[in-house]
Amino acid sequence: MSQAIQKTLRDSAGMRWTALLLLALAMFCSYIFMDILSPIKDLMQETRGWDSTAFGTMQGSEVFLNVFVFFLIFAGIILDKMGVRFTAVLSAAVMLVGACIKWYAVSESFMGSGLETWFTNNLNYIPVFEELGVSPFYEGMPASAKFAACGFMIFGCGCEMAGITVSRGIVKWFKGREMALAMGSEMALARLGVATCMIFSPFFARLGGQVSVSRSVAFGVVLMCIALIMTIVYFFMDQKLDSQTGEAEEKDDPFKVSDIGKILSDSGFWIVALLCVLYYSAIFPFQKYAVNMLQCNLTLTPPDAESFWASSSVTIVQYVIMLIVAAAGFASNFQKKANLKYGMLGLSIIALITYCYMGYMRQSAESIFAVFPLLAVLITPILGSYLDHHGKAASMLVLGSLLLIGCHLTFAFILPAFKGNPIGGIAIAYATILVLGASFSLVPASLWPSVPKLVDAKVIGSAYALIFWIQNIGLWLFPLLIGKVLDKTNPEIVDGLKNGTIAPDVAAVSYDYTAPLVMLAGLGVAALILGFVLKVVDKKKGIGLELPNITE
């Protein structure tokens, strides 16, 4: 019997982690595309006329169909009925279709086309949605933003479907093993996509000295093709595993609508779901505005056009150094020999300092924010391993909430006070961004592995889908709210753009972000309260959220 077990792919550490790598690489590519326009918000305003409201509405459209057409619920049903491998390939294909539409929407070919005219004259009023105040379009919204929003909606369906699929896939391959470490590692790698996006999106947009925002999106489309290839390879691995174990996800434990009621009646499930929506609403929408926030609050002086720091090659060098930071820091967690462990950790720290110095010399807001996931990559395996062996997931969430609150308040009140101080402002920005990224790493490492403790195995896909759906309400609402709050609290910029007294490029870097940041800090306060409530519920009901994941 033991020999038969050893022959399965799941019991081979190399095969388990290869499956994880394939899923993580697909998510890595999707994370890049998700924020592909975030670091070039200023260019979208300059070249396409997208003000903050248009930008926020388009960004929030990513999850519109998931929330209001309940696509995520259907995605969970598809996942439970069809299994991980089929849903993984389907999600990648849907993301690619949406990415292609978004690329065309911001391309030069769309400008002046009949399609642009149609979008200008239509979709200005959507019955029911308009009355409810949740329409994904509005009168006066640029045609390119409307069409991009359509593509982003389709992409968002595939992206969130991929998210629940990856979570279910990790449970399938790692349950009873290093599940928190696996989930944390997957998110650490995927979040490198955020840093990659922040560095390369502006790079491609300004390549050759001529601004073209469509080049950035085209870069993302190529990556979505790669993501599709990764999921196809995973398809065959997962199929092989099922043939070895005799499992058949598609036929065993069929989905029942009544199962959703069982999930929704659990108070622990609701607390976890609300924690997710609060955490993610305070981070993902912020990412879409973070580069512009830094542009508005830091004193950045572009380097001489002839210098190395202004060249395109510095982007490649800085990205290589970033990969060294991530790889060495991540690998240091798995070294058993002390000299190797601390040697790689030291290399990671030196590379991180070098990266930060280069970002300072480049005077680039996007390269400064790109450090966001780097500390998370280093500590996520540590957190995952600790939770696997020692537990304390709910306690980690409380700590994450405290860090989240502190970071947003620092951005709101301390960072603006250092405007005019070129060194102090950037130093505070770097430190706060690193801590914010670290706080966010607590979510996948501690929260997601807790879901299997709350629901039956046969409805894990539906449970993740419901959590993602609730979470997506925040991901739709808060990008839109940030954009509207920015315009409402900066009336002089809005009026200046209308009457032509302020240039679009000047307006794009002149916003006061205090109000949106305080709003996001408020989400952290709510998450902190729920974190304490979760600890009480866990202790009362014996859910086991504070217990280790690895079972002996």
Side-chain angles (χ1 to χ4, degrees):
M1 175 66 98
S2 62
Q3 290 179 345
I5 294 175
Q6 289 300 319
K7 290 180 180 179
T8 65
L9 295 178
R10 183 163 48 202
D11 291 289
S12 165
M15 290 296 100
R16 277 201 311 274
W17 287 92
T18 297
L20 178 70
L21 181 62
L22 291 169
L23 293 173
L25 285 174
M27 292 305 296
F28 170 82
C29 295
S30 70
Y31 267 54
I32 292 175
F33 193 87
M34 188 188 303
D35 281 316
I36 200 70
L37 295 182
S38 299
I40 55 174
K41 176 181 180 290
D42 56 329
L43 297 182
M44 298 309 298
Q45 184 158 344
E46 292 175 34
T47 65
R48 297 296 185 269
W50 295 13
D51 60 14
S52 292
T53 299
F55 184 82
T57 303
M58 192 287 302
Q59 294 283 41
S61 69
E62 177 194 355
V63 296
F64 181 83
L65 294 179
N66 291 323
V67 173
F68 296 106
V69 187
F70 304 103
F71 182 81
L72 261 177
I73 307 300
F74 297 119
I77 296 173
I78 292 171
L79 177 57
D80 280 333
K81 281 194 168 290
M82 303 303 295
V84 173
R85 57 180 177 270
F86 172 86
T87 314
V89 175
L90 177 63
S91 64
V94 171
M95 284 192 288
L96 180 57
V97 171
C100 290
I101 294 173
K102 186 174 180 179
W103 166 76
Y104 181 69
V106 301
S107 70
E108 285 73 16
S109 300
F110 179 76
M111 299 173 66
S113 67
L115 197 58
E116 181 185 35
T117 302
W118 190 91
F119 272 93
T120 299
N121 298 328
N122 294 278
L123 299 181
N124 294 312
Y125 173 78
I126 310 296
V128 180
F129 289 114
E130 190 75 33
E131 281 72 19
L132 293 174
V134 298
S135 176
F137 312 110
Y138 60 87
E139 189 170 0
M141 185 176 181
S144 58
K146 287 181 185 176
F147 194 34
C150 293
F152 212 24
M153 288 179 198
I154 296 172
F155 170 84
C157 290
C159 188
E160 297 304 321
M161 185 193 297
I164 60 173
T165 302
V166 168
S167 298
R168 176 67 177 268
I170 293 174
V171 170
K172 178 176 182 177
W173 285 77
F174 285 88
K175 189 171 184 179
R177 297 177 176 86
E178 324 91 325
M179 190 160 63
L181 176 60
M183 286 193 172
S185 299
E186 180 269 326
M187 287 307 299
L189 178 58
R191 287 194 182 123
L192 277 178
V194 178
T196 303
C197 171
M198 296 301 161
I199 287 182
F200 282 105
S201 179
F203 170 78
F204 284 110
R206 296 185 174 95
L207 189 63
Q210 183 179 1
V211 173
S212 174
V213 294
S214 65
R215 279 198 300 259
S216 296
V217 186
F219 165 65
V221 171
V222 171
L223 291 175
M224 295 320 303
C225 293
I226 296 174
L228 179 58
I229 294 172
M230 294 297 101
T231 58
I232 291 172
V233 175
Y234 174 83
F235 179 97
F236 291 106
M237 281 194 67
D238 192 82
Q239 189 177 53
K240 178 67 173 178
L241 174 65
D242 281 358
S243 68
Q244 290 178 330
T245 62
E247 296 176 359
E249 281 186 315
E250 299 83 356
K251 298 177 181 178
D252 290 349
D253 298 320
F255 173 84
K256 297 178 182 178
V257 175
S258 59
D259 291 332
I260 293 181
K262 295 176 184 178
I263 296 171
L264 295 180
S265 63
D266 190 290
S267 60
F269 166 84
W270 273 108
I271 295 173
V272 169
L274 291 174
L275 273 168
C276 282
V277 72
L278 292 169
Y279 259 99
Y280 280 77
S281 295
I283 297 291
F284 281 131
F286 171 71
Q287 284 178 192
K288 301 182 186 302
Y289 291 87
V291 171
N292 189 238
M293 183 274 294
L294 293 176
Q295 291 170 336
C296 295
N297 285 306
L298 295 176
T299 301
L300 300 171
T301 305
D304 185 87
E306 301 300 321
S307 70
F308 167 73
W309 303 110
S311 67
S312 58
S313 58
V314 70
T315 302
I316 307 299
V317 173
Q318 195 175 20
Y319 187 65
V320 170
I321 292 174
M322 174 192 292
L323 293 180
I324 294 173
V325 175
F330 187 81
S332 68
N333 292 285
F334 303 94
Q335 304 303 315
K336 295 183 179 179
K337 294 183 179 179
N339 58 340
L340 282 175
K341 179 181 180 67
Y342 292 109
M344 300 192 80
L345 182 60
L347 174 62
S348 179
I349 293 173
I350 292 171
L352 177 60
I353 294 172
T354 303
Y355 175 90
C356 291
Y357 172 75
M358 294 184 72
Y360 168 75
M361 292 301 294
R362 291 185 65 189
Q363 294 286 289
S364 165
E366 52 266 21
S367 67
I368 291 173
F369 185 71
V371 301
F372 174 70
L374 295 186
L375 188 57
V377 173
L378 173 63
I379 71 169
T380 297
I382 299 174
L383 293 172
S385 181
Y386 182 86
L387 290 164
D388 280 332
H389 292 90
H390 303 286
K392 304 298 182 184
S395 299
M396 290 288 188
L397 293 172
V398 171
L399 175 61
S401 299
L402 289 170
L403 294 176
L404 190 67
I405 296 167
C407 288
H408 282 310
L409 292 179
T410 298
F411 285 134
F413 298 108
I414 297 178
L415 186 62
F418 281 82
K419 189 168 185 178
N421 185 331
I423 298 178
I426 291 178
I428 289 174
Y430 269 133
T432 310
I433 292 166
L434 284 167
V435 173
L436 183 65
S439 73
F440 194 36
S441 69
L442 294 167
V443 178
S446 56
L447 205 54
W448 294 126
S450 302
V451 177
K453 297 179 180 180
L454 297 170
V455 299
D456 292 336
K458 70 176 182 177
V459 292
I460 286 177
S462 298
Y464 278 124
L466 286 169
I467 291 176
F468 273 67
W469 178 73
I470 296 167
Q471 168 193 310
N472 271 229
I473 296 174
L475 299 186
W476 160 77
L477 177 63
F478 282 94
L480 178 63
L481 277 181
I482 294 173
K484 288 183 176 295
V485 169
L486 274 178
D487 281 341
K488 290 293 184 182
T489 55
N490 293 271
E492 69 284 355
I493 295 179
V494 175
D495 293 339
L497 285 170
K498 287 181 179 179
N499 58 37
T501 58
I502 182 172
D505 57 332
V506 175
V509 294
S510 302
Y511 289 97
D512 180 352
Y513 270 83
T514 303
L517 289 167
V518 170
M519 177 179 67
L520 296 177
L523 295 178
V525 173
L528 178 63
I529 295 171
L530 275 179
F532 283 116
V533 172
L534 182 63
K535 285 174 67 70
V536 173
V537 171
D538 177 55
K539 186 175 182 179
K540 182 179 178 180
K541 292 192 173 184
I543 298 173
L545 298 182
E546 295 282 81
L547 298 177
N549 294 311
I550 292 180
T551 55
E552 299 297 336

